[in-house]
């Protein structure tokens, strides 16, 4: 790094021109009609003009505007409209260009409090649109690093605890990407992990970024099929269901809700294939298709974001009258199971993982089976930008509740699992792990008699 590091405030590339006539200023933004306003005083207008071109530091803007309040007035006004960007420079190079992702972003106006600094635990360096960027769930802005900026960052990171004299680290602290080595966090903030905050921020309208049904792959990539091709393996017809019997024996929703419990003590008798057939039919069968091609939507007994129904159900069976221990795919379209080859050990691992999730003692009976819920995430991501994983998890929650209610109505022992391992299913599917991934587990058996 050469010489002094400066954090410059300036109009972003979006502002094509700026004209001044006395205190009257006209901004021309790329995407807006010309914006004309009268600055409160001539020095306010001077400060606005200083934001043009390379920009000015906050101290320079304060000098120009005559007071911190006047400089803050100018900065706040344009930051809120997302007209401002920031540059970190040294005497030779631009080290980083910083664009805000929301109108509520502003760098800290004050320098760091003289303590050692380090990369914020909520920030990361990654590649985006072919460039090296600093990103953080805690910062509604993104810093694009130049080659010199990457070298400067490497220096700041290599100083395991960048010293106060590191002016680049200080600028990154003002921008929010660096933190004190001992972060001053509220207890609530300490509970948020990097991935939690990044997913939260990136999958809400918290940042002015594309989000929702943008169909960003349309024209460039075929959408994944609405119906998952049946995996190879032995086909097992599920016993026919008696819909009239469901209608006759099902209790009112209110009564089912009142009885619903997570049950982890199991009967000696195994669950039967007939019961699993009824359960899968009531929870997961496909009831209809609409549309064609890109826009094929599917209906099932539970609702699903965009009616895409990207979730697939698998049974990891320890015991079930009529099935050998293995992992089975449930074909919701024809109500048929397919036994996945060489999957007995994987079924055992899935069930043991469930037993751990449910804190079952070593000697306790295991559930008869774990229903693994997988997401064909590309089907959601093909249509929805930024929210695909969020939608799939929300869909799993919806399925969990329906599983609880149907299991309760049928007198079964249900329990959702909050933690699971995607790998056993991935290994038996032996496909591209990005095509489909296990994201939820739910245990079933008959309950121990009370
Ligand atoms: C999303 C979700 C995850 C859960 N994960 C687990 C789990 O991993 N282990 C477990 O024993 N129970 C799990 N449960 C069950 C809860 O512990 C249970 O619902 C809660 O204690 C309330 O009891 P109840 O279901 O009998 O009303 C989970 C429930 C939900 C909805």
């Amino acid at each position: 790094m050469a010489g002094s590091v400066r954090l410059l405030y300036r109009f972003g590339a979006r502002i094509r021109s700026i004209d001044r006539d006395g205190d009257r200023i006209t901004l021309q933004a790329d995407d807006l009609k010309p914006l004309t306003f009268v600055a409160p005083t001539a020095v306010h207008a001077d400060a606005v003009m200083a934001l043009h071109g390379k920009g000015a530091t906050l101290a320079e803007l304060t000098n120009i505007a005559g007071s911190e309040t006047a400089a803050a007035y100018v900065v706040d006004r344009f930051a809120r409209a997302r007209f401002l960007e920031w540059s970190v420079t040294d005497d030779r190079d631009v080290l980083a260009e910083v664009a805000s992702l929301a109108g509520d972003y502003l760098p800290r106006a004050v320098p760091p409090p003289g303590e050692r600094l380090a990369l914020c635990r909520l920030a990361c360096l990654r590649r985006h649109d072919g460039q090296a960027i600093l990103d953080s769930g805690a910062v509604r802005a993104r810093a694009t690093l130049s080659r010199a900026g990457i070298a400067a960052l490497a220096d700041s990171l290599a100083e395991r605890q960048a010293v106060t004299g590191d002016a680049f680290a200080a600028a990154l602290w003002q921008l929010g990407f660096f933190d004190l080595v001992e972060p001053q966090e509220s207890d609530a903030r300490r509970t948020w992990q990097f991935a939690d905050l990044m997913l939260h921020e990136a999958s809400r309208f918290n940042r002015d970024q594309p989000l929702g049904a943008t169909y960003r792959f349309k024209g460039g990539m075929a959408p994944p099929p609405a119906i998952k091709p049946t995996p190879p393996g032995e086909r097992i017809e599920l016993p026919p269901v008696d819909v009239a019997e469901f209608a006759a024996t099902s209790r009112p929703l209110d009564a089912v809700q009142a009885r619903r419990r997570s049950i982890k003590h199991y009967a000696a008798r195994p669950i039967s294939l007939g019961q699993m057939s009824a359960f899968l039919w009531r929870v997961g069968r496909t009831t209809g298709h609409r549309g064609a091609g890109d826009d094929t939507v599917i209906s099932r007994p539970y609702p699903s974001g965009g009616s895409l129904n990207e979730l697939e159900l698998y049974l990891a069976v320890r015991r079930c009258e009529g099935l050998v221990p293995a992992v089975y795919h449930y074909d919701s379209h024809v109500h048929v199971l397919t036994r996945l080859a060489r999957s007995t050990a994987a079924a055992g691992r899935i069930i043991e993982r469930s037993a751990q999730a449910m804190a079952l003692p070593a000697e306790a009976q295991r559930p008869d089976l774990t229903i693994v819920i997988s997401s064909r995430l590309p089907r959601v991501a093909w249509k929805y930008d930024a929210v695909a994983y969020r939608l799939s998890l929300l869909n799993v929650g919806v399925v969990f509740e329906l599983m609880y209610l149907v299991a309760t109505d049928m007198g079964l022992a249900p329990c959702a699992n909050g933690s699971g391992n995607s790998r056993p299913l991935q290994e038996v599917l032996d496909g591209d792990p990005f095509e489909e991934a296990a994201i939820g587990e739910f245990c079933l058996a008959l309950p121990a008699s009370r």
Side-chain angles (χ1 to χ4, degrees), residues 23-36:
D23 296 343
R24 197 181 175 80
I25 293 176
T26 302
L27 290 179
Q28 180 64 64
D30 269 347
D31 45 348
L32 296 174
K33 287 194 208 132
L35 183 75
T36 301

Side-chain angles (χ1 to χ4, degrees), residues 260-264 354 356-360 396-397 400-401 404 414-419 441:
R260 189 211 56 77
R261 290 283 175 280
S262 297
I263 301 172
K264 308 173 206 174
S354 289
Q356 285 169 20
M358 297 188 295
L360 297 185
V396 168
F400 273 179
E401 177 61 359
Y404 265 116
C415 188
N417 293 174
S419 57
E441 286 81 18

Side-chain angles (χ1 to χ4, degrees), residues 381-413:
W382 192 87
K383 174 175 177 183
Y384 291 111
D385 214 344
V387 290
Y389 200 78
R390 162 182 289 276
L391 281 180
S392 262
L393 287 181
L394 292 173
N395 289 337
V396 168
V398 169
V399 176
F400 273 179
E401 177 61 359
L402 185 59
M403 286 182 171
Y404 265 116
L405 293 178
V406 171
T408 305
D409 197 33
M410 293 178 62
L412 305 175

